[in-house]
Amino acid sequence: MVIPLRHFLLALGFLAVGIGGGTVMAVTTLPGRPGLAHLHVLLVGWIAVTIMGAMTQFVPVWSGVTIYSRRVAVAQLWLVTVGLAGFGAALLAGALEWLPVGATLMLTGIWLFVYNVGRTLARARPFGFTERHFALALACFALVAPFGLLLAIDFTTPVFESLPVSRFDLHLAHATLALFGAVFATVVGALFQLGKMFTQAEPDRHSDRLLALEQLCFPAGLVALALGRGLTVEPLARAGGIAFLLGLAAFAVVIGRLLAGATVERSPMLVRYWVVVAALVTWVVLAAPTWWADPLTYESLFGHPDAQALLLLGVFGFVVIGSLYHIVPFIIWIERYSDRLGFEQVPMIDDLYDDRLERADFWATLAGFAGLSVAPLIGAPAAVVTASHVLATVGIALFIANTLLTIHRHGPDGIGGVLVSALESSEETPPAGSGEPDVDVSPEQ
């Protein structure tokens, strides 16, 4: 249980660097290639490392199998962390010849993650909605890493002269598979499970039909969009993009119906998932005409050119923050309080974090997100953008502080213990099929 918690803790560090760096970039100019460094810190350092930790925890729990190797799960984290730190430093310093070193470390860590979780997931039967999306995400992770290494090498040593694709085409395919495959497939697969868990609601027959549509359009659209961009086939990319958006729209309706039918009171997860649904629907509406007009330009890479905040902060940011408000206290509760249950009074999972900080971070982040989303669409003054960056930074800083306080106050060994204590994380699990999963308490419990 401490292995995923360590992933989340280091991911929070990258989040702090990313959101702080974004605020600095809004008011001044940084050296080197700060935009590329900022994007990788957020997408790889925060979101991808969080995904690596979440899959390490949730695949065994949800699929009823044992994690293949704890040692590999530990190694993957440090390889990606060190590789990304070096990669970002090289970009800011303009030392592009060092980029392949960082990229190689990240590739090794990501491939270890794919191998470890893939071997674990392979034993899960039957494959449900979540397992299918996780398998798709792993396949995308496996492709994204070597594509990124090629792009890093090409900064100083031309590698595309003998290849049938150009650097620009591979860059589009790399970003498409990373954002819409590795990240989005994980978010969709996990959000379906978490949405049911936190709402205590089940999809009805209309939602089941929408889920069937999503499972057809999402993977097929993703493959067509990535191939169309990589091979510069505009009709294929256009058809793939529209199919992909149709699948996401169907999924957003399903999550919205689950939230509307929630039988539980307000929680940090539910209020943030409402933001996710609203942001996702808005992003789809804006991306559809953009991808229909021209899906092959750099400006349309992430959908509408002025809607990046909707996607990165509104969808990915709020779903990760909302989920971590349960996942981190859950892990700590299992580690510290589960064996005391029935013998003494123990706190509930939701009692481990500070309610006031949670509400403050929600409203500050929401206000900052609203400003960052609307400002580029209406051409608001730069002062509005700067103020929105500051609000979002304050909100996310409060979230980080609340999470760290939770670990500090309730974690068996505090923050330092999570980072340096082995806590049996280096011990191997039993061979495949030899026993029950490491964790026999589900997140619902």
Side-chain angles (χ1 to χ4, degrees), residues 118-203:
R119 289 290 299 265
T120 306
L121 192 62
R123 303 198 305 272
R125 291 294 185 274
F127 264 28
F129 181 91
T130 297
E131 285 86 0
R132 285 191 287 271
H133 282 79
F134 280 3
L136 175 62
L138 291 175
C140 292
F141 270 113
L143 290 173
V144 164
F147 288 177
L149 178 59
L150 285 176
L151 292 169
I153 295 172
D154 188 66
F155 272 110
T156 54
T157 304
V159 297
F160 292 96
E161 295 177 353
S162 59
L163 296 179
V165 296
S166 67
R167 174 186 174 85
F168 179 75
D169 295 336
L170 188 68
H171 174 76
L172 290 183
H174 168 75
T176 300
L177 289 172
L179 194 64
F180 303 122
V183 176
F184 240 130
T186 306
V187 167
V188 170
L191 189 55
F192 178 65
Q193 286 282 355
L194 295 171
K196 292 192 299 178
M197 179 199 314
F198 296 141
T199 62
Q200 293 296 296
E202 288 291 334

Side-chain angles (χ1 to χ4, degrees), residues 229 234-235 237-239 241-242 245 286-297 300 303-305:
R229 285 176 163 179
E234 185 172 325
R238 179 181 294 115
I242 297 304
L245 294 175
L286 292 173
T290 302
W291 281 356
W292 180 265
D294 192 351
L296 300 182
T297 62
S300 66
H304 192 284

Side-chain angles (χ1 to χ4, degrees), residues 236-385:
L236 180 61
R238 179 181 294 115
I242 297 304
F244 179 79
L245 294 175
L246 180 60
L248 282 180
F251 178 73
V253 173
V254 172
I255 298 300
R257 290 170 66 88
L258 287 175
L259 293 171
T263 59
V264 296
E265 298 179 355
R266 178 203 182 275
S267 71
M269 292 69 70
L270 294 186
V271 295
R272 286 164 177 80
Y273 288 174
W274 272 118
V275 178
V276 171
V277 170
L280 180 56
V281 170
T282 306
W283 178 80
V284 167
V285 170
L286 292 173
T290 302
W291 281 356
W292 180 265
D294 192 351
L296 300 182
T297 62
Y298 183 80
E299 290 73 19
S300 66
L301 178 59
F302 296 151
H304 192 284
D306 294 326
Q308 286 193 21
L310 279 168
L311 185 62
L312 298 181
L313 182 55
V315 178
F316 299 147
F318 274 91
V319 77
V320 170
I321 291 174
S323 302
L324 288 182
Y325 258 119
H326 178 85
I327 296 170
V328 171
F330 167 73
I331 292 175
I332 294 174
W333 190 90
I334 291 295
E335 284 291 321
R336 181 167 182 179
Y337 298 112
S338 61
D339 58 350
R340 305 183 189 180
L341 192 63
F343 298 97
E344 61 182 83
Q345 187 175 1
V346 299
M348 300 291 288
I349 291 175
D350 291 341
D351 294 334
L352 301 188
Y353 56 79
D354 189 299
D355 290 337
R356 293 170 297 178
L357 283 178
E358 180 270 315
R359 291 177 185 271
D361 93 54
F362 172 72
W363 289 111
T365 307
L366 182 63
F369 159 67
L372 291 173
S373 300
V374 174
L377 295 174
I378 65 174
V384 174
V385 177

